[in-house]
Amino acid sequence: MPAHPLRGRTAIAGIGAAGWGEAPGRTAMELMAEASLSAIADAGLKLGDIDAICAATSTHAFPTLSVAEYLGIKPRFFDGTNIGGASFEMHLLHAALALDAKLCDAVLICYGSNQRTAGGRLVSMSEAQWHEAPYRPRHPITAYALATSRHMHQYGTTRSDLADIALAARGWANLNPMAFARGPLTKAEVLASRMVSDPLSSRDCCLVTDGGAACVMVRADRASHLPRPPVFLLGAAGAHSHRSITQMADLTVSVATESGPRAFEMAALSRADVDLVMLYDAFTITTLMFLEDLGFCPKGEGGRFVQGGAIAPGGRLAVNTSGGGLSCVHPGMYGMFLIHEAVTQIRGDAGARQITNCDVAICHGNGGTFSSQVTALLGSASTL
Amino acid sequence: MSPLMGPGPEAEFKSFLRQGRFMIQRSRTTGRHVLYPRIALPASGETDLEWVTPSGIGTVHAITVNRAREGSYNIALVELDEGPRMMTRIDGVESVPIGTRVTARIVEIGGEPAVVFVVAGRAS
């Protein structure tokens, strides 16, 4: 079968970060702009080279307009697709399409939020669903807790299994100087943490931090002449399943079961080729379900799969090596931060947490309440 | 009068509730029920929807208890015997096991009528 025409045609040439954790006094736009300038410099480009913007935020109705004005970019192509936290993985695909069609030459994909110092609560522009509103769901956690209750009921998944995911994330975070939540954490502490929405306790929930992240994408031929090792987009695909958790066909199965195979097909890769697994961990249950839905273990086996440090440093599968949304950074929408870590690992720049021979990374974004799923496969030059 | 001139399904659903009636839609040709109310069946698009009275019996499909300083309360997904799932709460208990059979009733929440459930066979 011939390779998909988009496979390896574009690459991430630069990444940038700003204010991960706490950035007092900084606005969301300032963090997004700082991360963007850092990514552009990392790519060896100038601001004036950027002719396309992809952005989604929790605080801007028209994010590409806001970014373009702030940085003084006149984009020829722009995409403000907002499907929640998975938006940025979708932006990779849209950027690749636009670059490949020569609608533009250098795409900035960016995100920024100051939601920790601005109030310490998750900020969301997501509107209430009228048929849910009387029952006062506290989304997103209500929806993820409902799904968790069902997973436990059907498959015997336990809070102890979920705690293993939180502990693995902390183990990786302890190797990452950029991670916000570092330090020892025991299973007893996780299990004793405050119940927020049964069966999810505070340690099952991602952090609420500040932070910005960005990347710059160009066509592969140009990337090879830029200073940093290119990280190629090998495949990407998305899927929608529902808007309201009431309409999720099976609460234990996300449509990562659709986005994953499509992305692998475009990349002409299989799970066995994957060195690094970056999964959107807004809650411990999301890591578990995406391991199943992307085929790293059979459906229902996620709890057993993660036991005993299997996804922690030194385990059998490297998952969320930054420390993830649970222990590294999670400023509301987390998708861009998956990409940042994947590029860092593929470049070999991950320091103490660097995994050996990281050539293929899967970045799996999630949005809404298990609503949108986008899978992207990134690879080093050796994968072309 | 064109069907587009009258109230839509969401308004009709709420109007029924204000009359003390829990009604859901069913497609005449396919017999499929849909909830929340819509102008057509999702995916297949039939617009031949009529309002019917459901049995009011369902099964707890998933449940959580929201822990808040102001007081904890449960939020459940109940699967009606007719098929559709809805968000609701189970009154009279902190929580119930998944699989519990429940019966619908209409109560007032925040000044508006809403469908909640109680454990089936249990006196209110």
Side-chain angles (χ1 to χ4, degrees):
Chain A
M1 196 170 65
H4 191 282
L6 277 180
R7 186 193 195 277
R9 289 290 287 270
T10 58
I12 297 170
I15 54 171
W20 290 17
E22 284 181 342
R26 300 293 189 92
T27 68
M29 180 54 73
E30 287 162 1
L31 292 167
M32 185 153 56
E34 186 181 336
S36 297
L37 292 177
S38 168
I40 295 164
D42 187 51
L45 297 174
K46 294 188 166 56
L47 185 55
D49 294 323
I50 301 296
D51 63 355
I53 297 171
C54 298
T57 80
S58 312
T59 45
H60 298 90
F62 309 123
T64 61
L65 288 175
S66 300
V67 175
E69 178 186 276
Y70 193 92
L71 291 176
I73 296 168
K74 297 274 187 191
R76 293 198 285 153
F77 175 82
F78 36 85
D79 175 23
T81 294
N82 190 344
I83 49 168
S87 301
F88 312 89
E89 282 67 38
M90 206 65 212
H91 292 161
L92 290 177
L93 180 59
H94 294 169
L97 286 164
L99 287 164
D100 193 55
K102 299 200 166 60
L103 299 180
C104 56
D105 295 323
V107 186
L108 170 69
I109 307 176
C110 56
Y111 178 75
S113 167
N114 64 339
Q115 59 186 250
R116 182 178 184 86
T117 54
R121 285 181 160 272
L122 179 74
V123 175
S124 173
M125 296 201 301
S126 183
E127 76 282 6
Q129 305 297 298
W130 70 269
H131 50 95
E132 297 182 347
Y135 313 105
R136 294 186 292 149
R138 194 152 55 117
H139 290 318
I141 192 171
T142 297
Y144 289 98
L146 288 166
T148 308
S149 78
R150 193 72 205 170
H151 203 283
M152 288 179 165
H153 174 76
Q154 281 184 227
Y155 299 113
T157 304
T158 65
R159 289 195 59 223
S160 172
D161 298 335
L162 297 178
D164 278 320
I165 293 169
L167 293 176
R170 179 59 59 89
W172 287 110
N174 284 340
L175 301 174
N176 181 3
M178 285 179 73
F180 182 63
R182 291 158 55 90
L185 184 66
T186 66
K187 183 173 277 195
E189 287 173 314
V190 175
L191 292 174
S193 64
R194 180 176 58 86
M195 191 55 73
V196 181
S197 190
D198 303 27
L200 298 178
S201 71
S202 60
R203 295 291 190 185
D204 290 300
C205 303
C206 65
L207 305 169
V208 176
T209 67
D210 301 329
C215 71
V216 173
M217 277 182 85
V218 296
R219 281 181 291 279
D221 51 356
R222 186 181 191 192
S224 303
H225 297 102
L226 293 175
R228 304 305 311 274
V231 172
F232 297 89
L233 180 66
L234 303 176
H240 279 35
S241 66
H242 58 272
R243 180 68 179 87
S244 159
I245 193 68
T246 64
Q247 308 296 307
M248 185 173 180
D250 182 338
L251 288 176
T252 68
V253 183
S254 76
V255 290
T257 53
E258 299 172 23
S259 65
R262 284 203 285 263
F264 275 112
E265 185 184 353
M266 183 187 287
L269 292 172
S270 71
R271 281 182 302 280
D273 299 312
V274 173
D275 302 304
L276 169 67
V277 181
M278 294 299 301
L279 305 174
Y280 199 109
D281 57 342
F283 299 93
T284 49
I285 187 68
T286 62
T287 304
L288 186 145
M289 272 181 47
F290 299 145
L291 284 169
E292 295 174 345
D293 294 341
L294 294 170
F296 290 98
C297 64
K299 177 49 66 182
E301 290 295 316
R304 281 167 286 279
F305 184 81
V306 300
Q307 287 171 2
I311 62 169
R316 69 175 128 150
L317 188 67
V319 177
N320 294 347
T321 52
S322 61
L326 292 169
S327 276
C328 177
V329 61
H330 196 299
M333 296 166 81
Y334 173 68
M336 191 58 231
F337 301 83
L338 297 167
I339 298 165
H340 189 280
E341 176 68 7
V343 171
T344 302
Q345 286 279 359
I346 290 171
R347 286 177 173 180
D349 287 347
R353 69 186 189 284
Q354 179 66 46
I355 62 171
T356 52
N357 302 325
C358 186
D359 288 313
V360 175
I362 188 168
C363 290
H364 182 78
N366 164 68
T369 53
F370 278 125
S371 310
S372 62
Q373 305 297 326
V374 188
T375 311
L377 284 151
L378 301 176
S380 68
S382 73
T383 63
L384 296 184
Chain B
M1 187 170 74
S2 155
L4 289 178
M5 296 299 286
E10 184 179 328
E12 285 188 288
F13 176 83
K14 291 175 176 172
S15 171
F16 282 129
L17 275 187
R18 282 192 289 273
Q19 299 163 23
R21 302 164 73 194
F22 172 36
M23 301 287 278
I24 68 173
Q25 294 169 297
R26 180 179 63 190
S27 158
R28 288 189 183 89
T29 51
T30 70
R32 229 180 104 205
H33 295 81
V34 61
L35 192 63
Y36 55 94
R38 298 183 207 191
I39 62 160
L41 274 189
S44 50
E46 286 85 358
T47 54
D48 60 346
L49 299 175
E50 58 182 351
W51 290 100
V52 297
T53 306
S55 66
I57 308 287
T59 305
V60 174
H61 187 76
I63 189 162
T64 184
V65 180
N66 187 62
R67 307 281 172 180
R69 281 193 198 89
E70 319 79 69
S72 300
Y73 57 93
N74 68 56
I75 301 155
L77 299 183
V78 164
E79 191 164 286
L80 300 178
D81 282 3
E82 288 76 11
R85 243 176 253 154
M86 61 180 288
M87 186 171 284
T88 188
R89 74 180 190 215
I90 312 300
D91 268 3
V93 290
E94 185 188 58
S95 188
V96 291
I98 287 174
T100 300
R101 296 285 282 164
V102 289
T103 308
R105 60 186 49 194
I106 297 172
V107 300
E108 210 167 84
I109 299 177
E112 290 291 328
V115 178
V116 300
F117 286 77
V118 293
V119 175
R122 184 178 290 189
S124 61

